[in-house]
Amino acid sequence: MGPTQFIAALRKAKPAPVYFLRGPDRFLHEECRKAIFAALPPEAREWCLAESEFEAKRLRRELEGAYQMPMLGGRTFVIVSDPQDFKHATDEDYEALEEYLERPSPFATVVFAAVEPDRRRRFIQLLEKKAEVVEMQPLDRREAARWLKGYLAHAGVEIEPDLAEEIAANFESAGESGQGRQVGVNLVWMRTEVEKLLVARPGSKRLKPGDMALIVAFREEHEIGKLLRAIADRQLARALDNLRALLASKQSEVLILWCIGDLFRQALKSRAGSASAYGAPYRGGRGSSSRGPFFTPEAASIAARKYSSQELLQALRQAHQADLRIKSSWKDSRILLEFLVWQVVVGKASGGPLPVSEPVPVSSAEA
């Protein structure tokens, strides 16, 4: 099953009891999450949607909550994600999952999400065998072009299929899969640049070939690359300067956060090797995009040297927590992004307020 079929099932109000969202495309993960949110009436979202980060030996408690009848009727959705792809699931967690899959709640849909799960682990094998698996693989050029056409139609803008495919081709990134070198389109990147194009062409009802000149993705790649390099170098003031410049240019906060998380995921692989850090990662479908469009080998290599393995894992978890907070309608996501950069560069544990004795430095322009 692909994301399209998953979203269609939600819209028809016929979701399965348990899903396993599996694959590297984080944009598609977010699209599926938005579809879950949209499937719930506004007045029920506070009570009928639960998102949590997986913790070893606590899964049984999470699943017990799924058996509770929703206060406002309808259906409850429980989303369980883990920046380490359930690597630390215990025997107790396996047993809890096995019991739930044998007798799922009639009132809930539970969604597990993983980016590069180790398919040798029996917890993952159980999900793949018993849950509805949704493949979150990067779209190829034609599929991405169809997605772009639908996205623009929602905004009241038309585009010819050939032009949509030409635009999608500009956002392809190569990765490695079990079938060799593969190419997929990064939808986060493409959507960000198309949004800028729509702002630059207010009132436009059709995109034309000449509009391609306004897509400045490669300049943005360089700017985000500078932010990642500063974070990798543990240069806090420079990283905050770069972050604030990107935010001032209206760069997508979701894209910035995605790139920061991807930096530390790639640094972990660079430090320990893909197989030893994550086991044998999932590499099915059209191919896993092991390098995002803003990923630079140099930045990951530097981060692998300047951060310990524990710090890299902590940074990945902090990026995931920031992502959850931004999705929870945090009023000022800029503060969250600046705090995240401070946390990972300084090496502070998450969970508490910013210490008064160690404030986030102002940028050089503000000093």
Side-chain angles (χ1 to χ4, degrees), residues 12 48-49 118 133 177 276 313:
K12 294 176 182 178
C48 297
L49 176 61
D118 182 350
V133 177
S177 79
S276 60
L313 286 170

Side-chain angles (χ1 to χ4, degrees), residues 167-335:
I167 291 175
N170 283 281
F171 301 95
E172 290 177 330
S173 55
E176 302 294 331
S177 79
Q179 300 174 342
R181 192 167 182 81
Q182 301 288 329
V183 174
V185 175
N186 187 291
L187 297 181
V188 177
W189 192 18
M190 182 169 72
R191 183 191 64 176
T192 298
E193 297 306 324
V194 169
E195 285 176 346
K196 295 178 184 176
L197 186 61
L198 296 179
V199 171
R201 289 281 189 266
S204 176
K205 297 299 182 182
R206 176 182 289 271
L207 291 190
K208 302 176 181 178
D211 293 326
M212 286 284 292
L214 291 177
I215 295 182
V216 291
F218 291 105
R219 177 180 65 81
E220 299 298 348
E221 175 180 355
H222 175 66
E223 295 302 318
I224 290 186
K226 290 196 294 187
L227 168 64
L228 300 182
R229 178 62 182 264
I231 292 174
D233 279 328
R234 306 195 82 151
Q235 296 294 320
L236 180 57
R238 180 156 57 93
L240 289 172
D241 279 342
N242 291 330
L243 173 62
R244 288 161 179 160
L246 286 167
L247 294 174
S249 71
K250 306 300 182 183
Q251 183 57 275
S252 166
E253 295 165 350
V254 172
L255 180 58
I256 294 171
L257 184 58
W258 180 89
C259 290
I260 293 173
D262 195 55
L263 168 67
F264 288 105
R265 183 177 289 275
Q266 300 300 336
L268 276 167
K269 293 180 179 180
S270 176
R271 185 181 181 88
S274 178
S276 60
Y278 292 96
Y282 170 71
R283 296 188 184 278
R286 286 175 293 276
S288 167
S289 181
S290 62
R291 292 184 179 182
F294 305 104
F295 168 70
T296 60
E298 295 81 8
S301 178
I302 292 169
R305 294 196 306 270
K306 296 203 172 187
Y307 293 77
S308 68
S309 295
Q310 183 178 1
E311 286 177 320
L312 292 173
L313 286 170
Q314 176 176 281
L316 189 59
R317 183 175 296 277
Q318 288 165 339
H320 182 67
Q321 290 171 343
D323 183 46
L324 290 178
R325 288 169 181 165
I326 287 176
K327 291 171 183 175
S328 300
S329 302
W330 187 277
K331 293 183 179 179
D332 194 342
S333 51
R334 168 177 171 157
I335 293 176

Side-chain angles (χ1 to χ4, degrees), residues 5-72:
Q5 291 82 6
F6 173 76
I7 293 171
L10 295 177
R11 289 174 177 169
K12 294 176 182 178
K14 296 181 178 180
V18 183
Y19 288 98
F20 181 31
L21 276 53
R22 176 188 70 180
D25 197 306
R26 293 168 178 80
F27 181 83
L28 294 178
H29 277 277
E30 177 59 16
E31 289 289 281
C32 290
R33 180 193 171 276
K34 288 180 179 178
I36 293 172
F37 191 79
L40 292 167
E43 66 276 8
R45 288 168 186 165
E46 182 177 356
W47 310 103
C48 297
L49 176 61
E51 297 185 76
S52 64
E53 183 176 309
F54 174 80
E55 293 183 36
K57 299 184 178 181
R58 290 179 58 89
L59 183 60
R60 188 178 301 277
R61 183 181 302 178
E62 296 285 347
L63 295 177
E64 285 175 353
Y67 287 106
Q68 297 179 5
M69 183 178 294
M71 292 181 61
L72 301 178

Side-chain angles (χ1 to χ4, degrees), residues 75-117:
R75 194 169 189 83
T76 296
F77 286 87
V78 179
I79 304 174
V80 184
S81 57
D82 182 8
Q84 296 186 58
D85 296 326
F86 307 104
K87 176 182 177 182
H88 299 294
T90 64
D91 290 342
E92 180 181 334
D93 296 318
Y94 177 89
E95 292 169 3
L97 176 61
E98 186 176 42
E99 291 173 11
Y100 185 84
L101 289 170
E102 290 296 329
R103 191 176 64 87
S105 168
F107 311 116
T109 290
V110 180
V111 180
F112 293 87
V115 175
E116 294 184 4

